[in-house]
Amino acid sequence: MPTIRRSTSPALASIALGAALLAGCQTTDMQMGSQSAKTVATGSAAGTASANTSSSLERCAAPLGTVSLIENQSAGWYTILRNEYRLPPTANLLRLLVQQSNCFVVVERGAAGMNAMSRERQLMQSGEMRQGSNFGAGQMVASDYGLSPEIVFSNQNAGGIGGGLGGLVGGRYGGVISAVGGNLQTKEASALLTLIDNRSGVQVAASEGSASKTDFGAFGTVFGGSGGGALGGYTNTAQGKVISAAFMDAFNQMVVSLRNYKAQTVQGQGLGGGGRLSVDGAAPPSQTSAPQPVPASTQPRRNQKK
């Protein structure tokens, strides 16, 4: 009687493993507040109150002033953010982080928000609003500071290790291992934040933050798109999650510095009075200061109708 040899090929073993993994997959119901869909900027904020915020976010005991978000929408990084990554403006993300931290009170200066406020005032002036709507002048809050974000770089694949793994193993299994390692992709991002005093134009603070995340999606390549490819969805983690983490890191760095803030001074003179690095023939530096407000008692009174 002939002897029957049993041999298991790598292909059959791969198919069996893929089938076993897919056997446990099933369609799930909609999950509100899914942890896998969140970024580090999560939760909510209302006034000084916040809920479900990230434990990694730095916080302040009391606001340091009012702030508005300033995005350079003509910059190259902003074009990539919107056109390539299809992400919303960074101001939306930073608004949440800033209010949750309680370090600043956010005031609206975006084009859409300013247009909406102007529209309400136009309706008031047209007489269409109800009496007592109170959209008169003199109610807008000044922005003490401007917070400007910038993405220094954002890399969707900072490097894989597939070739190295396949080279170490070699042989007929080297290609499979190369495919596995080739799907180990590291997403990286680095972000900058600058805080400007709107009255003087002086830079108050600046910070840099970074974040990285390694995604693994080997099954989609090894088993093909119709088999284990569904398990490789983790490689589709939005680059926006890494960018969000980089901005949170930058904001945290800034808050830590602001807790120990001390204004820069130029010895012997005010800011902008000529500086201490004088050049030949230049006028001597002078003491500068902001104009002092005129006391109310000395201000000329307006003519009152009798």
Side-chain angles (χ1 to χ4, degrees):
M1 183 174 180
T3 302
I4 299 176
R5 294 182 179 179
R6 295 182 178 179
S7 62
T8 303
S9 67
L12 291 176
S14 299
I15 294 173
L17 178 58
L21 290 170
L22 290 174
C25 296
Q26 60 180 354
T27 302
T28 59
D29 296 331
M30 182 66 68
Q31 298 180 7
M32 294 179 59
S34 173
Q35 292 298 321
S36 62
K38 292 181 179 295
T39 68
V40 293
T42 184
S44 61
T48 59
S50 61
N52 300 320
T53 61
S54 171
S55 59
S56 300
L57 181 64
E58 295 285 344
R59 293 170 173 80
C60 297
L64 302 171
T66 59
V67 69
S68 56
L69 281 303
I70 307 170
E71 281 186 315
N72 184 4
Q73 298 185 0
S74 61
W77 68 266
Y78 189 86
T79 302
I80 295 174
L81 180 80
R82 300 304 306 274
N83 297 342
E84 181 176 340
Y85 295 145
R86 305 293 182 181
L87 294 175
T90 58
N92 300 335
L93 166 72
L94 292 171
R95 284 170 181 267
L96 178 61
L97 294 178
V98 171
Q99 187 165 357
Q100 286 179 334
S101 72
N102 196 40
C103 293
F104 298 94
V105 176
V106 180
V107 295
E108 178 63 84
R109 289 297 184 271
M114 294 298 293
N115 288 338
M117 289 187 286
S118 297
R119 184 169 58 250
E120 296 304 309
R121 284 159 174 77
Q122 291 172 2
L123 288 171
M124 181 72 182
Q125 294 172 0
S126 69
E128 293 295 331
M129 282 191 174
R130 295 182 178 184
Q131 292 184 357
S133 295
N134 194 20
F135 266 94
Q139 298 190 72
M140 289 193 64
V141 175
S143 175
D144 297 323
Y145 307 102
L147 184 64
S148 179
E150 181 178 354
I151 298 175
V152 181
F153 76 86
S154 180
N155 193 344
Q156 292 200 68
N157 185 10
I161 62 173
L165 289 175
L168 289 174
V169 176
R172 57 181 178 176
Y173 299 107
V176 176
I177 295 180
S178 293
V180 173
N183 276 280
L184 288 173
Q185 298 180 351
T186 300
K187 302 178 187 294
E188 297 179 337
S190 178
L192 283 175
L193 290 175
T194 54
L195 186 68
I196 305 298
D197 176 70
N198 283 338
R199 291 178 174 82
S200 64
V202 173
Q203 178 174 297
V204 175
S207 61
E208 182 270 347
S210 59
S212 65
K213 184 176 181 62
T214 299
D215 292 343
F216 178 67
F219 293 106
T221 302
V222 177
F223 299 129
S226 61
L231 300 179
Y234 190 55
T235 60
N236 296 326
T237 300
Q239 184 71 9
K241 292 186 177 182
V242 183
I243 294 175
S244 299
F247 273 120
M248 178 181 281
D249 185 41
F251 185 73
N252 284 343
Q253 301 288 345
M254 177 176 289
V255 171
V256 171
S257 295
L258 289 175
R259 289 187 184 132
N260 303 310
Y261 175 75
K262 184 179 293 185
Q264 292 176 291
T265 60
V266 179
Q267 186 177 0
Q269 57 182 284
L271 298 181
R276 301 183 64 190
L277 302 175
S278 60
V279 297
D280 184 41
S286 60
Q287 183 69 39
T288 64
S289 62
Q292 300 299 317
V294 179
S297 58
T298 61
Q299 291 181 354
R301 296 182 179 180
R302 297 179 180 178
N303 295 330
Q304 299 181 353
K305 296 180 179 181
K306 297 181 179 180

